[in-house]
Amino acid sequence: MNPRHGVLLTLALCALALIASGASALPELDLGDRILIDGFSDEFERDEFLFQSRPQGGVEESTSDSQWGLFNDVNQMKITWDANFVYVAIDGFIFNNNTMVFFDTVPLADGQNPGLTSLSQVNSWRRAVSFDNGIFPDLFAATWDGNTTPQLWTYTGPNQVAQIPQGSFPTVASFSGDLPRRSMEAAIPWDVFFLGQGVREFDPAYGDTIYRMPDPDFEVRIVSWITAGADGTGGPDSAPDNLSGHQVDGSIPVVLDNYVRLRMDRFDANGDPNPDGVPDFGQPVRTPTRPDMSEEEYRAVVDDFFFLAPPIRGTALEIKDIRLEPRAFAPDLGEDLEFLFTITPEIQDELLREVRRIDFTAEVFDLNGRKVRTLYDEAEFTIASLDGSTFLPVNRFDGRDDEGRILEGGVYLLRLILEPDQDQTQEALVVVR
């Protein structure tokens, strides 16, 4: 053998050994050979699963927590990316129904968030769902049972979304009744994912043309849910679990107030923990859990990955036991009315108590339906701030209107509203003159 050939062979073998051992620092810039968009997500790797097993037992996302049963349940969400696409999969069942996955990808601009706050009035895919706790979706993918070509829609303005032309990106769904292991998959181009707010350019550190994120510090926020097919309907399940829960009745509005918090840029091209404005290639999407993980290790992972780590037993709150003392009172004599009530059920989970938000409204109306006094206008409280039935800073009504004038004698209605739970009740009171 020619000695020169022997040296070249030796170098080639060494290079192959380095690559096989994982010593190569080159990131994965093209996953097209591994991720096949076919409606079956088996090729995603475990560190690309957004929900994992809990070291203490159980799972972060149950396959049997839907109000409509096993065959209308989000089981798993998966995500990864390369230099061209964000690859997404939603696994589960949507028997005769729909599924949607929402992405909040664009941060606040001049104090205004360019995203959806609800779908109740949107021009397409109108549903009884709103968003809370900091997620305002900029785009969503959606499909229905039996449909093989999911749709992708982007936010264009208040209550307005526009569909990305089908065929301009790879997407397939395979949901079919009660058949298992079915998914909605999509390969979303980076410029669509970030609503065109970014730049594609050659980066010598990567040796390729890559997409530079509009705001590397922004956490992409993701949530999915099951919904019925008709406009104005709610749904039985979301992933991650929401805080206010779901109901069997599909007409009841749903609040999606929990989500995955995904930092897409944590490392540089060499894999060092130095964000460089480019989505991380070849890095774990999240840290897989291990059976031997301590509670402290586990909390360090999930507390930064979710708004509130699942599983969560979402609970809709209600106003109960309203008491007006006294029901009839004379403002002219310096009397006022105290209104007391109880919010049920009692929530024991301390983390949920700290983040579960209530917007409280208290208003007084005359019998003609005219509002005469606003006592609270969507005042924000958390469960932890509640103290029995007397949590309000001021829970008295002095019998005056919003201009400070004593009301005419007669019967009035005190209306109390809890949002986003959509619970409200009212009680009659009497102003004596």
Side-chain angles (χ1 to χ4, degrees), residues 5 62 95 113 169 179 200 224 229 232 259 285 302 332 336 430:
H5 292 168
S62 172
F95 201 125
N113 194 296
F169 65 99
L179 296 181
R200 183 176 291 277
S224 63
Y259 46 84
V285 173
V302 297
D332 285 324
D336 59 16
V430 178

Side-chain angles (χ1 to χ4, degrees), residues 7 20 25 80 92 155 175 178 199 210 214 283 304 307 331 345 370 414:
V7 171
T80 190
Y155 174 85
F175 296 113
D178 60 357
V199 61
I210 49 83
Q283 296 290 340
D304 287 335
F307 177 76
R370 182 174 62 94
L414 173 65

Side-chain angles (χ1 to χ4, degrees), residues 58-112:
V59 292
E60 293 169 352
E61 177 55 39
S62 172
T63 59
S64 59
D65 62 349
S66 170
Q67 293 289 337
W68 294 351
L70 294 174
F71 298 128
N72 277 288
D73 194 297
V74 179
N75 293 172
Q76 182 62 263
M77 295 196 297
K78 304 170 184 177
I79 190 169
T80 190
W81 53 85
D82 61 17
N84 298 306
F85 298 104
V86 179
Y87 300 93
V88 180
I90 308 299
D91 298 351
F93 299 87
I94 56 170
F95 201 125
N96 290 332
N97 289 300
N98 304 175
T99 188
M100 307 173 74
V101 56
F102 301 94
F103 304 92
D104 183 354
T105 63
V106 178
L108 291 169
D110 298 326
Q112 300 297 317

Side-chain angles (χ1 to χ4, degrees), residues 164-187:
I164 300 299
Q166 290 182 307
S168 62
F169 65 99
T171 178
V172 176
S174 62
F175 296 113
S176 181
D178 60 357
L179 296 181
R181 297 179 51 250
R182 302 305 175 105
S183 303
M184 172 175 66
E185 291 188 297

Side-chain angles (χ1 to χ4, degrees), residues 324-331 334-340 362-366 372-376 392 394-402 404-408 410-416 427-432:
L324 305 183
E325 300 176 359
R327 187 175 295 272
F329 66 106
E335 297 176 353
D336 59 16
L337 174 146
E338 183 179 27
F339 55 98
L340 304 172
E363 300 168 321
V364 180
F365 293 81
D366 64 22
V372 296
R373 180 70 179 273
T374 299
L375 301 170
Y376 288 92
L392 298 172
V394 178
N395 60 339
R396 293 182 177 275
F397 172 46
D398 59 7
R400 297 175 181 271
D401 65 16
D402 283 326
R405 298 169 300 209
I406 295 178
L407 295 173
E408 296 294 328
V411 178
Y412 294 85
L413 298 176
L414 173 65
R415 181 175 300 167
L416 307 180
E427 286 286 323
L429 60 91
V430 178
V431 172
V432 178

Side-chain angles (χ1 to χ4, degrees), residues 261-293:
R261 301 163 52 197
L262 185 60
R263 286 291 301 273
M264 303 185 85
D265 178 25
R266 296 171 296 156
F267 304 95
D268 61 20
N270 297 317
D272 296 325
N274 180 31
D276 57 0
V278 175
D280 297 333
F281 303 116
Q283 296 290 340
V285 173
R286 71 162 286 182
T287 303
T289 56
R290 309 184 317 272
D292 63 344
M293 245 184 184

